């Protein structure tokens, strides 16, 4: 009896084939949209036509025309085709379900899962390429007027915490961690001479793109913390620190390694300018003691 594995037919790359065959017929605007979709297939699965238009500096009507020029009925039809090729995307609830089902029903398996993920992440952070990237990051931060820390979703909490730590060591910092109008209000605080730290993965979401555009307009250098080294954000960043978060196979990503990376950067910056850091910490302690004394005097 033959032990050869059964032949599995690889799904046809319908979009790729149509793009290669028809790209010479597309106008510059349509080509820009089609090329963006081709390079960011996983990303556009969560995007609307308006979001793709913002990423390609076109209009939503141009996005629809580009998709139809490649033989698709519309964006929904395109997404179904891409999903058949690359498999479905995962929601946060699905990721949690997948993770829990892979663990044994005991505490030890959960502990081991998290420890293994963080151990791997810390090993990667300690690799030579990442050490060089962190050194470049600290060099940029040393001359920064302020530091903006971008992160939305779960990373919004890390952005707030990192901003507090930067301020404590004497480096003025602010979080960029909201969406819509609230993010616009935060972005007006970005100034020429600042440095931007971004926490972002592969999805070129509109908040990240808007923040990156404003940074470029002001000449603000970007330090990217990501595991998506080939993303649009990575191509635009001045230095990229690769931070594994896990999440392979539809499992829950871990955010602890990102926090470790932020603390590495902040402590490295503090050690690069110890006098500034110590003066700032002394000032923080002095203010804290005055608050305590003021509270007692009112009592």
């Amino acid at each position: 009896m033959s032990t050869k594995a059964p032949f599995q037919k690889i799904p046809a790359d319908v979009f790729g084939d149509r793009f290669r065959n028809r790209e010479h017929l597309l106008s510059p605007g349509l080509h820009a949209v089609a090329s963006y979709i081709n390079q960011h297939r996983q990303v556009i699965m969560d995007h609307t036509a308006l979001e793709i238009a913002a990423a390609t500096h076109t209009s939503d009507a141009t996005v629809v025309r580009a998709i139809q020029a490649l033989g698709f009925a519309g964006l929904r039809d395109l997404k179904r085709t891409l999903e058949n090729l690359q498999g479905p995307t995962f929601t946060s609830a699905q990721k949690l379900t997948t993770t829990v089902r892979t663990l044994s029903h005991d505490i030890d398996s959960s502990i081991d899962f998290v420890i293994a993920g963080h151990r791997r992440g810390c090993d990667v952070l300690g690799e030579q390429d990442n050490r060089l990237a962190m050194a470049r990051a600290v060099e940029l931060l040393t001359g920064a007027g302020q530091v903006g820390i971008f992160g939305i979703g779960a990373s919004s909490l890390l952005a707030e915490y990192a901003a507090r730590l930067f301020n404590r060591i004497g480096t003025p910092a602010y979080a960029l961690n909201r969406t819509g109008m609230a993010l616009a209000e935060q972005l007006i605080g970005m100034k020429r001479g600042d440095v931007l730290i971004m926490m972002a993965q592969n999805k070129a979401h509109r908040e990240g793109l808007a923040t990156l555009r404003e940074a470029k307009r002001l000449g603000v250098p970007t330090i990217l913390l990501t595991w998506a080294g080939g993303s649009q954000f990575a191509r635009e960043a001045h230095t990229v620190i690769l931070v594994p978060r896990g999440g392979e196979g539809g499992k829950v990503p871990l955010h602890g390694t990102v926090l470790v990376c932020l603390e590495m950067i902040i402590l490295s910056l503090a050690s690069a300018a110890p006098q500034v850091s110590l003066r700032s910490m002394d000032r923080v302690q002095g203010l804290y003691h005055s608050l305590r004394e003021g509270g007692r005097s009112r009592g």
Side-chain angles (χ1 to χ4, degrees):
M1 181 180 294
S2 172
T3 59
K4 187 180 295 185
F7 174 75
Q8 289 185 320
K9 184 178 179 181
I10 299 174
D13 183 5
V14 177
F15 179 85
D17 290 342
R18 291 182 185 179
F19 178 54
R20 285 187 292 272
N21 291 334
R22 305 184 192 188
E23 63 174 322
H24 66 286
L25 302 174
L26 302 177
S27 67
L30 299 184
H31 189 277
V33 171
S35 180
Y36 176 81
I37 293 172
N38 191 45
Q39 295 173 17
H40 302 86
R41 299 186 183 199
Q42 191 66 42
V43 171
I44 67 102
M45 297 298 287
D46 294 326
H47 273 28
T48 64
L50 281 172
E51 289 171 324
I52 297 173
T56 55
H57 306 291
T58 60
S59 67
D60 57 332
T62 301
V63 171
V64 174
R65 287 199 302 272
I67 292 169
Q68 291 175 340
L70 296 179
F72 299 97
L75 183 56
R76 184 176 298 178
D77 182 30
L78 169 64
K79 289 182 178 181
R80 279 197 298 264
T81 301
L82 293 178
E83 188 174 62
N84 289 335
L85 176 63
Q86 61 196 25
T89 56
F90 294 90
T91 65
S92 296
Q94 288 170 330
K95 289 177 181 178
L96 179 60
T97 300
T98 300
T99 304
V100 171
R101 285 177 176 171
T102 61
L103 300 176
S104 303
H105 295 291
D106 61 75
I107 294 175
D108 285 339
S109 64
S110 300
I111 292 172
D112 292 340
F113 172 80
V114 174
I115 288 176
H118 287 156
R119 181 178 289 126
R120 174 174 175 264
C122 289
D123 287 343
V124 172
L125 283 176
E127 291 177 355
Q128 186 62 24
D129 287 347
N130 266 341
R131 289 175 183 266
L132 293 173
M134 284 192 202
R136 290 192 293 270
V138 171
E139 185 178 356
L140 289 171
L141 291 166
T142 299
Q146 300 180 103
V147 181
I149 303 106
F150 174 86
I152 58 175
S155 297
S156 66
L157 300 175
L158 298 181
E160 290 278 4
Y161 178 65
R164 289 181 60 183
L165 293 185
F166 272 113
N167 282 312
R168 290 184 71 175
I169 65 169
T171 300
Y174 52 94
L176 299 166
N177 60 348
R178 298 175 185 167
T179 59
M181 179 59 74
L183 176 60
E185 291 169 347
Q186 290 181 319
L187 283 172
I188 61 174
M190 186 184 291
K191 301 288 189 297
R192 195 174 298 275
D194 290 359
V195 172
L196 172 65
I197 296 177
M198 287 193 75
M199 293 174 280
Q201 297 302 320
N202 204 36
K203 181 180 179 181
H205 42 66
R206 58 188 175 187
E207 292 85 1
L209 293 172
T211 301
L212 198 57
R213 282 196 298 270
E214 182 65 4
K216 290 179 68 175
R217 186 184 73 82
L218 294 169
V220 170
T222 302
I223 300 164
L224 178 66
L225 278 54
T226 187
W227 188 233
S231 69
Q232 182 175 351
F233 295 130
R235 290 194 296 272
E236 300 284 350
H238 290 73
T239 186
V240 178
I241 302 173
L242 294 177
V243 188
R245 296 194 313 149
E248 294 84 1
K251 296 186 180 68
V252 170
L254 302 173
H255 302 279
T257 314
V258 183
L259 175 58
V260 170
C261 182
L262 286 167
E263 290 182 328
M264 286 178 175
I265 293 171
I266 292 165
L267 287 174
S268 297
L269 180 62
S271 65
Q275 293 179 339
V276 173
S277 302
L278 292 174
R279 280 199 304 269
S280 180
M281 288 302 301
D282 285 344
R283 180 64 178 147
V284 169
Q285 287 298 317
L287 290 169
Y288 173 64
H289 287 311
S290 68
L291 287 168
R292 292 183 62 190
E293 291 167 0
R296 282 198 294 270
S297 65
R298 287 194 300 271

